[in-house]
Amino acid sequence: MKSTTEIGSKGESLARDFLIEKGYKILDQNWTCNKSEIDLIVQLEQTVCFIEVKTRVHSFSVDPVLSVSPSQQKRIINSANVYIEQFSIDEEIRFDVIGVVHDKGIFKIDQHLEGAFYPTID
């Protein structure tokens, strides 16, 4: 059995390839800031997308998209704000989640939810 880290890494690689095939440009992968990580930062036309990849074993596990908790969303949004400032991003932004399922040694994209969550004002 592969470790959780290996399964997650394979899921992120699959998501990366999936996005490239759809015409996205990869800006960054596993970008870290303040002990938080954004799995993929990509661009499609005039939109920069911050992508959280959730890989789950078996399709009957918890929906990967639903497993991005509000606190994790907040960490991703805060890190995205740093990235936007650091790299002077002036395009539209979006927060997506890609769900990957690992079942019997096969990885597949289960879903790509565009605009999975939005920044909120506290």
Side-chain angles (χ1 to χ4, degrees), residues 3-117:
S3 73
T4 304
T5 303
E6 290 173 314
I7 290 171
S9 180
K10 178 72 175 169
E12 288 176 12
S13 293
L14 181 65
R16 182 179 190 275
D17 294 345
F18 168 80
L19 292 167
I20 290 170
E21 286 178 24
K22 294 211 166 274
Y24 288 81
K25 176 184 173 188
I26 305 300
L27 302 178
D28 230 315
Q29 185 169 354
N30 302 118
W31 189 79
T32 57
C33 169
N34 300 327
K35 299 181 183 179
S36 182
E37 177 183 272
I38 299 175
D39 295 329
L40 294 165
I41 303 170
V42 300
Q43 185 169 1
L44 182 64
E45 298 172 359
Q46 300 303 313
T47 303
V48 173
C49 306
F50 298 89
I51 313 276
E52 176 66 17
V53 179
K54 288 295 189 180
T55 304
R56 293 291 179 254
V57 178
H58 308 295
S59 58
F60 56 83
S61 297
V62 173
D63 184 339
V65 173
L66 296 176
S67 66
V68 182
S69 69
S71 62
Q72 187 175 18
Q73 291 177 23
K74 187 173 183 173
R75 284 193 304 273
I76 292 167
I77 291 165
N78 289 340
S79 295
N81 284 332
V82 172
Y83 187 91
I84 290 164
E85 285 186 33
Q86 184 174 341
F87 294 98
S88 302
I89 302 297
D90 195 29
E91 286 80 13
E92 293 292 319
I93 64 161
R94 189 176 76 208
F95 296 92
D96 294 1
V97 176
I98 295 180
V100 178
V101 175
H102 173 244
D103 192 12
K104 299 178 185 169
I106 298 172
F107 288 82
K108 69 175 187 165
I109 301 292
D110 183 50
Q111 59 187 308
H112 176 195
L113 184 58
E114 298 177 2
F117 55 91

